[in-house]
Amino acid sequence: MSSTELPETIAAAVAPKVSPIRAAAGERFSSVELPGLTLNVRSRPATRDGVPPALYVHGLGGSSRNWSALMPLLEDVVDGAAVDLPGFGDSAPPGDGNYSVTAHARAVVRLLDADGRGPAHLFGNSLGGAVVTQVAAARPDLVRTLTLVSPALPEIRVQRTAVPTALLAVPGLAAVFSHLTRDWTAERRTLGAMSLTYGDLANIGEEELRGAVAELERRLQLPHFWQAMTGSARGIVNAYTLGGQHGLWRRAERVLAPTLLVYGGRDQLVSYRMARRAAAAFRDSRLLTLPDAGHVAMMEYPGEVARASRDLIGEYEDARAEDARGHDEVEDGRS
């Protein structure tokens, strides 16, 4: 048995019966079967025909539920879907046990290829931001625009408050933490996580808190919960140490898609000071800074994020339509 495997994981010869995930009004769930991979997708169908697809990718420890506040604010401009990354939410763990940033990016690419609707507007938060950055750098044909909320890009000086999350990558520490906190209630665990990700806990509504607690209770029953957490944390740390052309900053520089960067002034996991560097790295970027926001601005300030995203998407789609009209005029002239 490896040192990263938790006793309860080894003992679970049969997966426990886990309560179903919750959907907000207007959301639908589907399961996408791919070779060696089963992904749960939470969709928010568009309110009008002919709009482009969008895919939302959550961060470490999150799920597709993290986008439920933002998706309805954009349902008239995109046909939205939020994926549970392998091992998170209601998605099965990857068949090969690979939780690296590159493996998560491959899963997103495979999902987009299977969808077959052409390029999508991609949204990513934290780990999801690093994932969709890799997708945009490697497969520009799949991407219309990027909206990155506190993307997990390497920092030379990591914030002290981010160190405990990084320590999840150390073999055996997750098992120790699980043992030390075995008597914690789901509410205590949830509030602890939210105190790191929100700029102000007062922004959390009672219904939102109840839903988050219920979701954590559900996920703690999953035998692969800690494997997904520790494996993905290790994947982020490993991605931070890569240099040269494989480094995340070099990948950011190769992104061609118009990019919206969203940073929170009270973010305890991704430093606010990284905003300028990110704006310089992404060649076609714009920056939204929210001084009072934490790490999950799309949950804490969905209206502000939606307005900036709508501007980005609208400008892109208008330019695309103008290019199409110009092409048609040229073709008409030739005929």
Side-chain angles (χ1 to χ4, degrees), residues 114 134-136 154 205 208 217 221 239 285 287 313 332:
Q134 284 213 20
V135 172
E208 181 181 353
E217 288 176 330
Q221 298 176 62
S285 68
L287 179 61
I313 292 168
D332 290 343

Side-chain angles (χ1 to χ4, degrees), residues 55 111 166 186:
L55 184 67
L111 179 63

Side-chain angles (χ1 to χ4, degrees), residues 2-329:
S2 75
S3 60
T4 60
E5 292 174 325
L6 298 177
E8 64 266 32
T9 300
I10 301 302
V14 179
K17 184 177 181 180
V18 179
S19 58
I21 52 179
R22 296 186 176 188
E27 293 180 344
R28 304 173 184 171
F29 288 119
S30 61
S31 181
V32 179
E33 300 284 343
L34 300 167
L37 201 60
T38 302
L39 298 176
N40 179 66
V41 175
R42 179 190 303 257
S43 61
R44 185 97 194 184
T47 56
R48 59 190 182 91
D49 296 332
V51 299
L55 184 67
Y56 302 81
V57 185
H58 63 82
L60 178 67
S63 73
S64 58
R65 185 177 179 275
N66 291 27
W67 300 100
S68 288
L70 182 65
M71 287 200 292
L73 303 182
L74 296 173
E75 62 185 356
D76 61 321
V77 293
V78 295
D79 190 17
V83 63
D84 287 329
L85 289 172
F88 291 93
D90 208 42
S91 287
D96 59 3
N98 189 344
Y99 288 102
S100 67
V101 174
T102 298
H104 284 315
R106 281 198 299 266
V108 170
V109 166
R110 292 173 63 188
L111 179 63
L112 290 169
D113 276 335
D115 182 67
R117 292 187 295 167
H121 295 284
L122 298 187
F123 293 72
N125 169 234
S126 192
L127 165 63
V131 168
V132 298
T133 294
Q134 284 213 20
V135 172
R139 291 288 305 274
D141 58 303
L142 293 176
V143 184
R144 293 174 182 253
T145 67
L146 286 182
T147 295
L148 306 178
V149 182
S150 297
L153 299 172
E155 301 181 40
I156 295 175
R157 290 180 298 147
V158 177
Q159 295 185 99
R160 178 179 54 82
T161 47
V163 170
T165 302
L167 288 176
L168 282 174
V170 178
L173 277 190
V176 173
F177 178 77
S178 178
H179 176 73
L180 292 176
T181 62
R182 63 187 183 279
D183 295 328
W184 287 16
T185 65
E187 182 171 352
R188 181 180 177 183
R189 293 175 188 270
T190 301
L191 286 172
M194 285 181 160
S195 68
L196 276 177
T197 55
Y198 276 72
D200 185 352
L201 288 177
N203 291 328
I204 304 171
E206 184 177 343
E207 183 178 349
E208 181 181 353
L209 177 59
R210 284 201 305 268
V213 170
E215 172 64 7
L216 181 59
E217 288 176 330
R218 186 192 72 82
R219 290 170 62 189
L220 284 170
Q221 298 176 62
L222 297 170
H224 58 268
F225 172 81
W226 283 109
Q227 290 174 325
M229 288 288 291
T230 58
S232 295
R234 192 172 301 117
I236 294 174
V237 171
N238 290 341
Y240 272 32
T241 62
L242 289 176
Q245 64 178 344
H246 299 296
L248 283 172
W249 285 113
R250 288 292 295 274
R251 292 178 185 270
E253 292 168 356
R254 292 202 294 270
V255 172
L256 302 176
T259 302
L260 169 65
L261 298 160
V262 183
Y263 281 83
R266 295 184 178 181
D267 193 331
Q268 298 182 67
L269 298 176
V270 170
S271 176
Y272 190 66
R273 67 175 179 264
M274 301 306 295
R276 288 188 179 275
R277 181 175 181 183
F282 290 89
R283 64 182 72 188
D284 183 2
S285 68
R286 61 187 68 186
L287 179 61
L288 172 65
T289 57
L290 299 170
D292 295 324
H295 191 60
V296 288
M298 73 286 185
M299 300 173 70
E300 203 169 5
Y301 293 94
E304 287 83 347
V305 176
R307 280 191 288 274
S309 298
R310 292 175 75 91
D311 288 344
L312 177 72
I313 292 168
E315 289 176 20
Y316 175 87
E317 294 300 332
D318 288 346
R320 185 182 174 104
E322 183 63 29
D323 288 344
R325 283 193 294 270
H327 179 268
D328 290 343
E329 290 172 1

